[in-house]
Amino acid sequence: MFRKELLLAWAMLRDPRSPMAAKLTVVLALVYVISPIDLVTDFIPILGWLDDGLIAYLLLQAAFKFLPADLHAALSSKIKAKAA
């Protein structure tokens, strides 16, 4: 499931019809994951990784809410077609 959302985020970044707010939110999720500054440090074995995954997931969900419904459906169907 998370793989499809990552593919949808990538398609959204590449599509010129996507709103800038959605694109910025995806970039923010990526920056948070690779940033050394975290809410919970990565030195705590499980909680640090869960923190990164959870924040990235929530940011991606927020980015998808910025998409118009017809664009979201078009990008989702495009991803499903490639996967089949």
Coordinates of all heavy atoms in Angstrom, one line a residue:
M1 N 0.8 -1.2 0.0 CA 0.0 0.0 0.0 C 0.9 1.3 0.0 O 0.6 2.2 -0.7 CB -0.9 0.0 1.2 CG -1.9 1.2 1.2 SD -3.1 1.1 2.5 CE -2.3 1.9 3.8
F2 N 1.9 1.3 0.8 CA 2.7 2.5 0.9 C 3.5 2.7 -0.4 O 3.8 3.8 -0.8 CB 3.7 2.3 2.1 CG 4.4 3.6 2.5 CD1 3.6 4.7 2.9 CD2 5.7 3.8 2.4 CE1 4.2 5.9 3.3 CE2 6.3 4.9 2.8 CZ 5.6 6.0 3.2
R3 N 3.8 1.6 -1.1 CA 4.5 1.7 -2.4 C 3.6 2.4 -3.4 O 4.1 3.3 -4.1 CB 4.8 0.3 -2.9 CG 5.6 0.3 -4.2 CD 5.9 -1.1 -4.7 NE 6.7 -1.1 -5.9 CZ 6.1 -1.2 -7.1 NH1 4.8 -1.3 -7.2 NH2 6.9 -1.2 -8.2
K4 N 2.3 2.2 -3.4 CA 1.4 2.8 -4.3 C 1.3 4.3 -4.0 O 1.3 5.2 -4.9 CB 0.0 2.2 -4.3 CG 0.0 0.9 -4.9 CD -1.4 0.3 -4.8 CE -1.5 -1.1 -5.4 NZ -2.8 -1.7 -5.3
E5 N 1.4 4.6 -2.7 CA 1.3 6.1 -2.3 C 2.6 6.8 -2.7 O 2.5 7.9 -3.1 CB 1.1 6.2 -0.8 CG -0.3 5.8 -0.5 CD -0.6 5.8 1.0 OE1 0.4 5.7 1.8 OE2 -1.8 5.8 1.4
L6 N 3.7 6.1 -2.6 CA 5.0 6.7 -3.1 C 4.9 6.9 -4.6 O 5.4 8.0 -5.1 CB 6.2 5.9 -2.7 CG 6.5 5.8 -1.2 CD1 7.6 4.8 -0.9 CD2 6.8 7.2 -0.7
L7 N 4.4 6.0 -5.3 CA 4.3 6.1 -6.8 C 3.3 7.3 -7.1 O 3.6 8.0 -8.1 CB 3.8 4.8 -7.4 CG 4.9 3.7 -7.4 CD1 4.2 2.4 -7.9 CD2 6.1 4.1 -8.2
L8 N 2.3 7.4 -6.4 CA 1.3 8.5 -6.6 C 2.0 9.8 -6.3 O 1.8 10.8 -7.0 CB 0.1 8.3 -5.7 CG -1.0 9.3 -5.9 CD1 -1.6 9.4 -7.3 CD2 -2.2 9.0 -4.9
A9 N 2.8 9.9 -5.3 CA 3.5 11.1 -4.9 C 4.4 11.5 -6.0 O 4.5 12.7 -6.4 CB 4.2 11.0 -3.6
W10 N 5.1 10.5 -6.6 CA 6.1 10.8 -7.7 C 5.3 11.2 -8.9 O 5.8 12.2 -9.6 CB 6.9 9.5 -8.0 CG 7.8 9.7 -9.1 CD1 7.7 9.1 -10.3 CD2 9.0 10.5 -9.2 NE1 8.8 9.4 -11.1 CE2 9.6 10.3 -10.4 CE3 9.6 11.3 -8.3 CZ2 10.7 11.0 -10.8 CZ3 10.8 12.0 -8.6 CH2 11.3 11.8 -9.9
A11 N 4.2 10.6 -9.2 CA 3.4 11.1 -10.4 C 2.9 12.5 -10.2 O 2.8 13.3 -11.1 CB 2.3 10.1 -10.6
M12 N 2.5 12.8 -8.9 CA 2.0 14.1 -8.6 C 3.1 15.2 -8.8 O 2.8 16.2 -9.3 CB 1.5 14.1 -7.2 CG 0.9 15.4 -6.8 SD 0.2 15.3 -5.1 CE 1.6 14.9 -4.2
L13 N 4.3 14.8 -8.4 CA 5.4 15.8 -8.6 C 5.7 16.1 -10.0 O 6.1 17.2 -10.4 CB 6.6 15.3 -7.9 CG 6.7 15.3 -6.4 CD1 7.9 14.7 -5.8 CD2 6.6 16.8 -5.9
R14 N 5.5 15.1 -10.9 CA 5.8 15.2 -12.3 C 4.7 15.8 -13.1 O 4.9 16.3 -14.2 CB 6.2 13.8 -12.8 CG 7.4 13.3 -12.2 CD 7.8 11.9 -12.7 NE 8.1 12.0 -14.1 CZ 8.0 10.9 -14.9 NH1 7.7 9.8 -14.4 NH2 8.3 11.1 -16.2
D15 N 3.5 15.8 -12.6 CA 2.3 16.3 -13.3 C 2.2 17.8 -13.2 O 2.1 18.3 -12.0 CB 1.0 15.6 -12.8 CG -0.1 15.8 -13.8 OD1 -0.4 17.0 -14.1 OD2 -0.8 14.8 -14.1
P16 N 2.2 18.6 -14.3 CA 2.1 20.0 -14.2 C 0.7 20.5 -13.7 O 0.6 21.7 -13.2 CB 2.3 20.5 -15.6 CG 2.0 19.3 -16.5 CD 2.3 18.1 -15.7
R17 N -0.3 19.7 -13.7 CA -1.6 20.1 -13.2 C -1.7 20.1 -11.6 O -2.7 20.6 -11.1 CB -2.7 19.2 -13.7 CG -2.8 19.2 -15.3 CD -3.7 18.2 -15.8 NE -3.2 16.9 -15.5 CZ -3.8 15.7 -15.7 NH1 -5.1 15.8 -16.1 NH2 -3.3 14.6 -15.4
S18 N -0.7 19.5 -11.0 CA -0.8 19.3 -9.5 C -0.6 20.7 -8.9 O 0.3 21.5 -9.3 CB 0.3 18.4 -9.0 OG 0.1 17.1 -9.5
P19 N -1.3 21.0 -7.8 CA -1.2 22.3 -7.1 C 0.2 22.4 -6.4 O 0.8 21.4 -6.0 CB -2.3 22.3 -6.1 CG -3.2 21.2 -6.4 CD -2.4 20.2 -7.3
M20 N 0.7 23.6 -6.4 CA 2.0 23.8 -5.8 C 2.0 23.3 -4.3 O 3.0 22.8 -3.8 CB 2.4 25.3 -5.9 CG 3.9 25.5 -5.4 SD 5.1 24.6 -6.3 CE 5.0 25.3 -7.9
A21 N 0.9 23.5 -3.6 CA 0.8 23.1 -2.2 C 1.0 21.6 -2.0 O 1.7 21.2 -1.1 CB -0.5 23.6 -1.6
A22 N 0.5 20.9 -2.9 CA 0.6 19.4 -2.9 C 2.1 19.0 -3.1 O 2.6 18.2 -2.4 CB -0.3 18.7 -3.9
K23 N 2.7 19.6 -4.1 CA 4.1 19.3 -4.4 C 5.0 19.7 -3.3 O 5.9 19.0 -2.9 CB 4.5 20.1 -5.7 CG 3.8 19.5 -6.9 CD 4.3 20.3 -8.2 CE 3.6 19.8 -9.4 NZ 4.1 20.4 -10.6
L24 N 4.8 20.9 -2.7 CA 5.6 21.3 -1.5 C 5.4 20.4 -0.3 O 6.4 20.1 0.4 CB 5.3 22.7 -1.1 CG 5.7 23.8 -2.1 CD1 5.2 25.2 -1.7 CD2 7.2 23.8 -2.2
T25 N 4.3 19.8 -0.1 CA 4.0 18.9 1.0 C 4.8 17.6 0.8 O 5.4 17.1 1.7 CB 2.5 18.7 1.2 OG1 1.9 19.9 1.3 CG2 2.3 17.9 2.4
V26 N 4.8 17.1 -0.5 CA 5.6 15.9 -0.8 C 7.1 16.2 -0.5 O 7.8 15.3 0.0 CB 5.3 15.4 -2.2 CG1 6.3 14.3 -2.6 CG2 3.9 15.0 -2.3
V27 N 7.6 17.3 -1.0 CA 9.0 17.6 -0.8 C 9.3 17.8 0.7 O 10.3 17.3 1.1 CB 9.3 18.9 -1.6 CG1 10.7 19.4 -1.2 CG2 9.2 18.7 -3.1
L28 N 8.4 18.4 1.4 CA 8.6 18.5 2.9 C 8.7 17.1 3.5 O 9.5 16.9 4.4 CB 7.4 19.3 3.5 CG 7.5 19.5 5.0 CD1 8.7 20.4 5.3 CD2 6.2 20.2 5.5
A29 N 7.8 16.2 3.1 CA 7.9 14.8 3.6 C 9.3 14.2 3.3 O 9.9 13.5 4.2 CB 6.8 13.9 3.0
L30 N 9.8 14.4 2.1 CA 11.1 13.8 1.8 C 12.2 14.5 2.6 O 13.1 13.8 3.1 CB 11.3 14.0 0.3 CG 12.7 13.6 -0.2 CD1 12.8 12.1 -0.1 CD2 12.9 14.0 -1.7
V31 N 12.1 15.8 2.8 CA 13.1 16.5 3.5 C 13.1 16.0 5.0 O 14.2 15.8 5.6 CB 12.9 18.0 3.4 CG1 13.8 18.7 4.5 CG2 13.3 18.5 2.0
Y32 N 11.9 15.8 5.5 CA 11.8 15.3 6.9 C 12.5 13.9 7.1 O 13.2 13.7 8.1 CB 10.4 15.3 7.4 CG 10.3 14.9 8.8 CD1 10.5 15.8 9.8 CD2 10.1 13.6 9.2 CE1 10.5 15.4 11.2 CE2 10.0 13.2 10.6 CZ 10.3 14.1 11.5 OH 10.3 13.8 12.8
V33 N 12.3 13.0 6.1 CA 12.8 11.7 6.2 C 14.3 11.7 6.1 O 15.0 11.0 6.9 CB 12.2 10.8 5.1 CG1 13.0 9.5 5.0 CG2 10.7 10.5 5.4
I34 N 14.9 12.5 5.3 CA 16.4 12.5 5.2 C 17.0 13.5 6.1 O 18.3 13.4 6.3 CB 16.8 12.8 3.7 CG1 16.4 14.2 3.3 CG2 16.3 11.8 2.8 CD1 16.9 14.6 1.9
S35 N 16.3 14.3 6.8 CA 16.9 15.3 7.7 C 17.3 14.7 9.0 O 16.7 13.8 9.5 CB 15.8 16.4 8.1 OG 16.3 17.2 9.1
P36 N 18.5 15.1 9.5 CA 18.9 14.6 10.8 C 18.1 15.1 12.0 O 18.2 14.6 13.1 CB 20.4 15.0 10.9 CG 20.4 16.2 10.0 CD 19.4 16.1 8.9
I37 N 17.3 16.1 11.8 CA 16.5 16.7 12.9 C 15.2 16.0 12.9 O 14.4 16.0 11.9 CB 16.3 18.2 12.7 CG1 17.7 18.9 12.6 CG2 15.4 18.8 13.8 CD1 17.6 20.3 12.2
D38 N 14.8 15.3 14.0 CA 13.6 14.5 14.1 C 12.9 14.9 15.4 O 13.5 15.4 16.3 CB 13.9 13.0 14.2 CG 14.4 12.5 12.9 OD1 14.1 13.0 11.8 OD2 15.2 11.5 12.9
L39 N 11.6 14.5 15.5 CA 10.9 14.7 16.7 C 11.4 13.7 17.7 O 11.6 14.0 18.9 CB 9.4 14.5 16.5 CG 8.7 15.5 15.7 CD1 7.2 15.2 15.5 CD2 8.8 16.9 16.4
V40 N 11.6 12.4 17.3 CA 12.2 11.4 18.1 C 13.5 10.9 17.4 O 13.5 10.6 16.2 CB 11.3 10.2 18.2 CG1 11.9 9.0 19.0 CG2 9.9 10.6 18.9
T41 N 14.6 11.0 18.1 CA 15.9 10.7 17.5 C 16.0 9.3 17.0 O 15.3 8.4 17.5 CB 17.0 11.0 18.5 OG1 18.3 10.7 17.9 CG2 16.9 10.1 19.7
D42 N 16.7 9.1 15.9 CA 16.9 7.8 15.3 C 17.7 6.8 16.1 O 17.8 5.6 15.8 CB 17.4 7.9 13.9 CG 16.4 8.4 12.9 OD1 15.2 8.4 13.2 OD2 16.8 9.0 11.9
F43 N 18.4 7.3 17.2 CA 19.2 6.5 18.0 C 18.3 5.6 18.9 O 18.8 4.5 19.4 CB 20.1 7.3 18.9 CG 21.2 8.0 18.2 CD1 21.3 9.4 18.1 CD2 22.1 7.2 17.5 CE1 22.3 10.0 17.4 CE2 23.1 7.9 16.7 CZ 23.2 9.2 16.7
I44 N 17.0 5.9 19.1 CA 16.1 5.0 19.8 C 15.6 4.1 18.7 O 14.9 4.5 17.8 CB 14.9 5.8 20.4 CG1 15.5 6.8 21.4 CG2 13.9 4.9 21.0 CD1 14.4 7.8 21.9
P45 N 16.0 2.8 18.7 CA 15.9 1.9 17.6 C 14.5 1.9 16.9 O 14.4 2.1 15.7 CB 16.2 0.5 18.2 CG 17.1 0.8 19.3 CD 16.6 2.2 19.9
I46 N 13.5 1.6 17.5 CA 12.2 1.4 16.8 C 11.4 2.7 16.7 O 10.9 3.1 15.7 CB 11.3 0.4 17.5 CG1 12.0 -1.0 17.6 CG2 10.0 0.2 16.8 CD1 12.4 -1.6 16.2
L47 N 11.3 3.5 17.8 CA 10.6 4.7 17.8 C 11.1 5.8 16.9 O 10.3 6.5 16.3 CB 10.5 5.3 19.2 CG 9.7 4.5 20.3 CD1 9.8 5.1 21.6 CD2 8.3 4.4 19.8
G48 N 12.4 5.8 16.7 CA 13.0 6.8 15.7 C 12.5 6.5 14.3 O 12.2 7.5 13.6
W49 N 12.5 5.3 13.9 CA 12.1 4.9 12.6 C 10.6 5.1 12.4 O 10.1 5.5 11.3 CB 12.6 3.5 12.2 CG 14.0 3.3 12.4 CD1 15.0 4.2 12.1 CD2 14.7 2.2 12.9 NE1 16.2 3.7 12.4 CE2 16.1 2.4 12.9 CE3 14.2 0.9 13.4 CZ2 17.0 1.5 13.3 CZ3 15.2 0.0 13.8 CH2 16.5 0.3 13.7
L50 N 9.8 4.7 13.4 CA 8.4 4.9 13.3 C 8.0 6.3 13.2 O 7.1 6.7 12.5 CB 7.7 4.2 14.5 CG 7.6 2.7 14.6 CD1 7.0 2.3 15.9 CD2 6.8 2.2 13.4
D51 N 8.7 7.2 13.9 CA 8.5 8.6 13.8 C 8.7 9.1 12.4 O 7.8 9.8 11.9 CB 9.5 9.3 14.8 CG 9.6 10.8 14.5 OD1 8.6 11.4 14.5 OD2 10.8 11.3 14.3
D52 N 9.8 8.7 11.7 CA 10.0 9.2 10.4 C 8.9 8.7 9.4 O 8.4 9.4 8.6 CB 11.3 8.6 9.8 CG 12.5 9.3 10.5 OD1 12.3 10.4 11.2 OD2 13.6 8.9 10.3
G53 N 8.5 7.4 9.6 CA 7.5 6.8 8.7 C 6.2 7.4 8.9 O 5.4 7.7 8.0
L54 N 5.8 7.6 10.2 CA 4.5 8.2 10.5 C 4.4 9.6 10.0 O 3.3 10.0 9.4 CB 4.2 8.1 12.0 CG 2.9 8.7 12.4 CD1 1.7 7.8 11.9 CD2 2.8 8.7 13.9
I55 N 5.4 10.5 10.2 CA 5.3 11.9 9.8 C 5.3 11.9 8.2 O 4.5 12.7 7.7 CB 6.5 12.7 10.3 CG1 6.5 12.7 11.8 CG2 6.6 14.0 9.7 CD1 5.3 13.5 12.4
A56 N 6.1 11.1 7.6 CA 6.1 11.1 6.1 C 4.7 10.6 5.6 O 4.2 11.2 4.6 CB 7.2 10.2 5.6
Y57 N 4.1 9.6 6.2 CA 2.8 9.1 5.8 C 1.8 10.2 5.9 O 0.9 10.4 5.0 CB 2.4 7.9 6.6 CG 1.1 7.4 6.3 CD1 0.8 6.6 5.2 CD2 0.0 7.6 7.2 CE1 -0.5 6.2 4.9 CE2 -1.3 7.2 6.9 CZ -1.5 6.4 5.8 OH -2.8 6.0 5.5
L58 N 1.8 10.9 7.1 CA 0.8 11.9 7.3 C 0.9 13.1 6.3 O 0.0 13.7 5.9 CB 0.9 12.4 8.8 CG 0.4 11.4 9.8 CD1 0.7 12.0 11.2 CD2 -1.0 11.0 9.6
L59 N 2.2 13.4 6.0 CA 2.4 14.5 5.1 C 2.0 14.1 3.7 O 1.4 14.9 2.9 CB 3.9 14.9 5.1 CG 4.3 15.7 6.3 CD1 5.9 15.9 6.3 CD2 3.7 17.1 6.3
L60 N 2.2 12.9 3.3 CA 1.7 12.4 2.0 C 0.2 12.4 1.9 O -0.4 12.8 0.9 CB 2.2 11.0 1.7 CG 3.7 10.9 1.3 CD1 4.1 9.4 1.1 CD2 4.0 11.7 0.1
Q61 N -0.5 12.0 3.0 CA -1.9 12.1 3.0 C -2.4 13.5 2.9 O -3.4 13.8 2.2 CB -2.5 11.4 4.3 CG -2.2 9.9 4.4 CD -2.8 9.2 3.2 OE1 -3.9 9.4 2.8 NE2 -1.9 8.4 2.6
A62 N -1.7 14.4 3.5 CA -2.1 15.9 3.4 C -1.9 16.3 2.0 O -2.7 17.1 1.4 CB -1.3 16.7 4.4
A63 N -0.8 15.9 1.3 CA -0.6 16.3 0.0 C -1.7 15.8 -1.0 O -2.1 16.5 -1.9 CB 0.8 15.8 -0.5
F64 N -2.1 14.6 -0.7 CA -3.2 14.0 -1.6 C -4.5 14.7 -1.4 O -5.3 14.8 -2.3 CB -3.4 12.5 -1.3 CG -2.1 11.7 -1.6 CD1 -1.9 10.5 -0.8 CD2 -1.2 12.0 -2.5 CE1 -0.8 9.8 -1.1 CE2 -0.1 11.3 -2.8 CZ 0.1 10.1 -2.1
K65 N -4.7 15.3 -0.2 CA -5.9 16.1 0.0 C -5.9 17.4 -0.8 O -7.0 18.0 -1.1 CB -6.1 16.3 1.5 CG -6.5 15.1 2.2 CD -6.9 15.3 3.6 CE -7.2 13.9 4.2 NZ -8.2 14.0 5.2
F66 N -4.7 17.9 -1.1 CA -4.6 19.1 -1.9 C -4.9 18.9 -3.4 O -5.2 19.9 -4.1 CB -3.2 19.7 -1.8 CG -2.9 20.4 -0.5 CD1 -1.8 20.0 0.2 CD2 -3.7 21.4 0.0 CE1 -1.5 20.6 1.4 CE2 -3.4 22.0 1.2 CZ -2.3 21.6 2.0
L67 N -4.9 17.6 -3.8 CA -5.2 17.3 -5.2 C -6.7 17.4 -5.5 O -7.5 17.0 -4.7 CB -4.7 15.9 -5.5 CG -3.3 15.7 -5.7 CD1 -3.0 14.2 -6.0 CD2 -2.7 16.5 -6.9
P68 N -7.0 18.0 -6.6 CA -8.4 17.9 -7.0 C -8.8 16.5 -7.2 O -8.0 15.6 -7.6 CB -8.5 18.7 -8.4 CG -7.2 19.5 -8.4 CD -6.2 18.8 -7.5
A69 N -10.1 16.1 -7.0 CA -10.5 14.7 -7.0 C -10.3 14.1 -8.4 O -9.9 12.9 -8.5 CB -12.0 14.7 -6.6
D70 N -10.6 14.9 -9.5 CA -10.4 14.3 -10.8 C -8.9 14.0 -11.1 O -8.6 13.0 -11.7 CB -11.0 15.2 -11.9 CG -10.4 16.6 -11.9 OD1 -9.9 17.0 -10.8 OD2 -10.5 17.3 -12.9
L71 N -8.0 14.9 -10.7 CA -6.6 14.6 -10.9 C -6.1 13.5 -10.0 O -5.3 12.6 -10.5 CB -5.8 15.9 -10.6 CG -4.3 15.8 -10.8 CD1 -4.0 15.5 -12.2 CD2 -3.6 17.1 -10.4
H72 N -6.6 13.4 -8.8 CA -6.2 12.2 -8.0 C -6.7 10.9 -8.6 O -5.9 9.9 -8.6 CB -6.8 12.4 -6.6 CG -6.4 11.4 -5.6 ND1 -6.9 10.1 -5.5 CD2 -5.4 11.5 -4.6 CE1 -6.3 9.5 -4.5 NE2 -5.4 10.3 -4.0
A73 N -7.9 10.9 -9.1 CA -8.4 9.7 -9.8 C -7.6 9.4 -11.0 O -7.3 8.2 -11.3 CB -9.9 9.9 -10.1
A74 N -7.2 10.4 -11.8 CA -6.5 10.1 -13.0 C -5.1 9.6 -12.7 O -4.6 8.7 -13.4 CB -6.4 11.4 -13.8
L75 N -4.4 10.2 -11.8 CA -3.1 9.7 -11.4 C -3.2 8.3 -10.8 O -2.3 7.5 -11.1 CB -2.4 10.7 -10.4 CG -2.1 12.0 -11.0 CD1 -1.5 12.9 -9.9 CD2 -1.1 11.9 -12.1
S76 N -4.2 8.0 -10.0 CA -4.3 6.7 -9.4 C -4.5 5.6 -10.5 O -4.0 4.6 -10.4 CB -5.5 6.7 -8.4 OG -5.2 7.5 -7.3
S77 N -5.4 6.0 -11.4 CA -5.7 5.0 -12.5 C -4.4 4.8 -13.4 O -4.2 3.7 -13.8 CB -6.9 5.4 -13.3 OG -6.6 6.6 -14.0
K78 N -3.7 5.8 -13.5 CA -2.4 5.7 -14.3 C -1.4 4.8 -13.6 O -0.8 4.0 -14.3 CB -1.8 7.1 -14.5 CG -0.6 7.2 -15.3 CD -0.1 8.6 -15.4 CE 1.2 8.8 -16.1 NZ 1.7 10.2 -16.2
I79 N -1.4 4.9 -12.3 CA -0.5 4.0 -11.6 C -0.9 2.6 -11.6 O -0.2 1.6 -11.7 CB -0.3 4.6 -10.1 CG1 0.5 5.8 -10.2 CG2 0.3 3.5 -9.2 CD1 0.9 6.5 -8.9
K80 N -2.2 2.4 -11.4 CA -2.8 1.0 -11.5 C -2.6 0.4 -12.8 O -2.3 -0.8 -12.9 CB -4.3 1.1 -11.1 CG -4.6 1.3 -9.7 CD -6.0 1.4 -9.4 CE -6.3 1.7 -8.0 NZ -7.7 1.9 -7.7
A81 N -2.7 1.2 -13.9 CA -2.5 0.7 -15.2 C -1.0 0.2 -15.4 O -0.7 -0.8 -16.1 CB -2.8 1.7 -16.3
K82 N -0.1 1.0 -14.9 CA 1.3 0.6 -15.0 C 1.7 -0.6 -14.2 O 2.5 -1.4 -14.5 CB 2.2 1.8 -14.5 CG 2.3 2.9 -15.6 CD 3.3 3.9 -15.1 CE 3.5 5.0 -16.1 NZ 4.5 6.0 -15.7
A83 N 1.0 -0.8 -13.0 CA 1.2 -1.9 -12.2 C 0.7 -3.2 -12.8 O 1.2 -4.3 -12.5 CB 0.6 -1.7 -10.8
A84 N -0.3 -3.1 -13.6 CA -1.0 -4.3 -14.2 C -0.2 -4.9 -15.3 O 0.7 -4.6 -15.8 CB -2.4 -4.0 -14.6

